[in-house]
Amino acid sequence: RRHNPRKIQSNPQDLRSTPFSASGNLPDIFWRSISMEDLRKHPYFLPLPKHVTELREAEDVRHFRQGTWQWDALHAGRCTTSQAA
């Protein structure tokens, strides 16, 4: 049985009564995650531009934000992690 990171308990049988199992098919994606607020405060954080007006080279498509028609066009017909979730 794996350790439940949400709650440290002294009795292993108590894990069965917690609302979150120590194992299973659903990962806790927020455990130890860094908030966007803290990420934005980091000196190396570079936000995406609000609008991409020009593509100087092929690598500039990385600046398209999710949810824009450009991002959708780039991912048309592809299975992405957001679709798999």
Side-chain angles (χ1 to χ4, degrees), residues 13-32:
Q13 292 188 353
D14 289 343
L15 289 174
R16 292 186 202 118
S17 64
T18 60
F20 299 99
S21 175
S23 64
N25 295 329
L26 299 174
D28 183 357
I29 61 171
F30 299 108
W31 182 64
R32 291 192 177 180

Side-chain angles (χ1 to χ4, degrees), residues 26-80:
L26 299 174
D28 183 357
I29 61 171
F30 299 108
W31 182 64
R32 291 192 177 180
S33 65
I34 300 171
S35 71
M36 284 303 296
E37 180 182 353
D38 287 338
L39 283 175
R40 288 185 176 107
K41 291 176 184 176
H42 194 279
Y44 293 143
F45 178 81
L46 298 173
L48 291 173
K50 294 280 184 198
H51 303 285
V52 178
T53 56
E54 177 182 22
L55 296 177
R56 295 185 188 141
E57 50 194 355
E59 290 82 15
D60 287 345
V61 298
R62 69 182 186 269
H63 298 300
F64 291 147
R65 291 177 179 261
Q66 279 187 341
T68 63
W69 70 267
Q70 295 98 333
W71 191 91
D72 289 339
L74 282 172
H75 293 84
R78 299 186 185 274
C79 181
T80 63

Side-chain angles (χ1 to χ4, degrees), residues 1-17:
R1 188 163 258 225
R2 292 177 45 193
H3 170 66
N4 184 347
R6 289 184 169 272
K7 191 174 184 182
I8 297 174
Q9 301 197 7
S10 58
N11 185 352
Q13 292 188 353
D14 289 343
L15 289 174
R16 292 186 202 118
S17 64

